[in-house]
Amino acid sequence: LIFSNPRSSGRRNLTLTLSEDGGRTWQPIAVICRGPSAYSDIAFIAPDRIGVLYENGEEGNIYSRISFRVVEL
């Protein structure tokens, strides 16, 4: 299982996490955005690559951008 969410209060530090035991434990595998970030979606784009589409921006305007990042597994 792979999951993305802000890992701090205030919608910051969007992180991609991996569970290899059905969701009992989660290991962070990549910080996608260290600053303000919000909703995200993930998709496999190759067997060893994940695409992450996410909202991000500046303080006070967290939803000003939609960004895309590729993460190698």
Side-chain angles (χ1 to χ4, degrees):
L1 298 171
I2 297 177
F3 179 68
S4 62
N5 71 316
R7 293 200 35 119
S8 62
S9 62
R11 293 188 182 254
R12 301 181 64 80
N13 298 318
L14 182 68
T15 303
L16 196 62
T17 56
L18 171 71
S19 176
E20 296 181 296
D21 59 10
R24 287 187 298 246
T25 61
W26 294 90
Q27 298 288 97
I29 56 174
V31 175
I32 305 301
C33 178
R34 293 203 180 278
S37 50
Y39 293 100
S40 61
D41 200 359
I42 57 178
F44 279 97
I45 55 177
D48 61 342
R49 297 171 69 196
I50 294 175
V52 183
L53 184 73
Y54 60 98
E55 293 177 314
N56 64 103
E58 307 301 324
E59 294 295 334
N61 192 7
I62 192 173
Y63 308 107
S64 63
R65 287 189 299 266
I66 302 287
S67 299
F68 182 76
R69 181 169 166 199
V70 175
V71 177
E72 303 276 339
L73 295 177

